[in-house]
Amino acid sequence: MAADLAATAVAHANIALVKYWGKRDAELVLPWTGSLSMTLDVFSTTTTVDLSSPADEDLVTLDDVAVTGEPRRRVVAFLDLVRERAGRTGKAVVRSRNTVPTGAGLASSSSGFAALALAASTAYGLDLDATALSRLARRGSGSASRSVFGGFALWHAGHDDASSHAEPLPSTGFAPAMVIAMVDTGHKTVSSREAMRRTVETSPLYRPWVDSAAADLEEMRAAVSRGDLEAVGEIAERNALGMHATMLAARPAVRYLSPATVAVLDAVLELRRAGVAAYATMDAGPNVKILCAPADAERVAEAVAPHGTTVVAGIGPAARLVADR
Ligand code: PMV
């Protein structure tokens, strides 16, 4: 099949309600646990993969700035994977734009690699269905496997390349809000990749968390399907705190949570005491995402505003191709 010369894709970040934390196969990005996420309607990445001007090496820019070092190496390795599958060798110009702060635990790699997977596979002439696209995106960044889909997505841990992919949960109309409290958008000091590796290899709390994650996943799937915000929130919060406990017990410890994170967690507890159903989750960074009913989002945002900038998000769409730029 003839390939397009260029393709542009947009994908949105997702936030896991039951987390992915730890690989059992780093090369294939196979996780120890299944995970479940909500794709957001904010924080997107738009990526163009352009093959029209042949060059000696791939050129990668993010928000018009050349990407170098390890981030570039990851993109080039991903393009190599796509080229190998497509039986093609031509280098690419990759232009990305983020509406999400990069590398701050705000899921930029989930939108980034989902958009890259769709744009690159299209430009190089691979015709992938959503499952195959999710498997491909997974190789760039595990969480990206879920951003291929909108709404709620469940990433099956699987046991090999074919069985480890996300699928969308049936839509039930359940549409909570997520208030993002950005207490610090600086770049993280330990990458999630390194933090996961250290946790899996050294944390005595890792195995117990993996064991409890299976039950969290099943309970979460049921809670999402019946639209039970309280249950979804409680499971999400305990799963995230447990994940951070595994990191705190790693040697040396990985601590993403800052004093401002804890202040937001206190504010969330205070809201609950006042009768507002609000629940917190945190990823590989100090920022907090608070799940609540859309009608409560403004009140939640006001309560945490002293600690950082807030963005109110809802349920977002699947990755899609858009007209070339
Ligand atoms: O796929 P990565 O490297 O972006 O790892 C994501 C890890 C967490 O955000 C902490 C959890 C998750 O499931 O998204």
Side-chain angles (χ1 to χ4, degrees):
M1 191 180 97
D4 298 337
L5 273 183
T8 299
V10 52
H12 286 74
N14 73 76
I15 298 299
L17 302 176
V18 173
K19 304 292 186 190
Y20 147 57
W21 193 252
K23 300 171 182 62
R24 63 174 177 176
D25 185 322
E27 168 70 18
L28 290 177
V29 192
L30 300 179
W32 278 110
T33 60
S35 54
L36 196 155
S37 63
M38 170 174 157
T39 299
L40 305 183
D41 59 0
V42 298
F43 296 163
S44 63
T45 303
T46 304
T47 296
T48 299
V49 173
D50 189 348
L51 311 180
S52 62
S53 35
D56 290 344
E57 53 178 17
D58 297 310
L59 185 72
V60 184
T61 62
L62 174 61
D63 295 324
D64 294 325
V65 177
V67 174
T68 58
E70 176 61 14
R72 178 176 183 279
R73 194 201 60 74
R74 282 180 69 182
V75 171
V76 171
F78 189 82
L79 292 171
D80 285 342
L81 189 65
V82 174
R83 284 188 281 254
E84 189 191 310
R85 290 199 187 165
R88 302 272 301 270
T89 52
K91 304 294 184 191
V93 175
V94 178
R95 290 186 297 273
S96 273
R97 292 199 177 278
N98 257 354
T99 65
V100 43
T102 307
L106 286 166
S108 58
S109 65
S110 66
S111 55
F113 276 100
L116 181 63
L118 181 53
S121 61
T122 306
Y124 281 106
L126 293 174
D127 191 13
L128 303 181
D129 64 18
T131 300
L133 190 64
S134 173
R135 285 171 48 202
L136 176 65
R138 187 196 82 228
R139 299 289 295 274
S141 187
S143 58
S145 66
R146 301 181 309 236
S147 272
V148 166
F149 302 104
F152 294 93
L154 193 163
W155 173 15
H156 299 279
H159 55 272
D160 59 8
D161 178 44
S163 56
S164 188
H165 60 82
E167 67 169 351
L169 294 190
S171 162
T172 60
F174 176 51
M178 199 173 267
V179 178
I180 324 273
M182 296 189 282
V183 301
D184 182 357
T185 53
H187 216 280
K188 64 184 87 160
T189 47
V190 185
S191 69
S192 57
R193 202 161 269 225
E194 159 60 16
M196 280 184 203
R197 191 196 57 73
R198 201 187 294 172
T199 305
V200 173
E201 286 175 11
T202 71
S203 174
L205 299 190
Y206 186 63
R207 269 288 133 197
W209 180 77
V210 167
D211 293 343
S212 65
D216 284 355
L217 189 62
E218 273 326 300
E219 285 178 41
M220 180 62 84
R221 188 212 283 256
V224 168
S225 73
R226 61 176 193 274
D228 184 341
L229 176 65
E230 281 78 9
V232 168
E234 274 170 24
I235 301 161
E237 196 172 287
R238 77 179 183 217
N239 180 269
L241 288 169
M243 175 185 77
H244 284 277
T246 68
M247 300 182 217
L248 288 168
R251 297 159 192 187
V254 179
R255 185 172 61 87
Y256 287 121
L257 313 182
S258 71
T261 312
V262 177
V264 174
L265 291 178
D266 280 347
V268 169
L269 272 184
E270 206 46 58
L271 281 162
R272 283 219 289 276
R273 278 191 206 109
V276 179
Y279 304 88
T281 182
M282 296 80 66
D283 294 284
N287 302 306
V288 186
K289 296 92 183 182
I290 305 156
L291 204 66
C292 63
D296 291 329
E298 209 170 307
R299 175 155 178 205
V300 170
E302 267 169 31
V304 299
H307 310 294
T309 315
T310 57
V311 174
V312 177
I315 296 265
R320 65 182 193 282
L321 290 167
V322 292
D324 285 345
R325 292 181 305 167

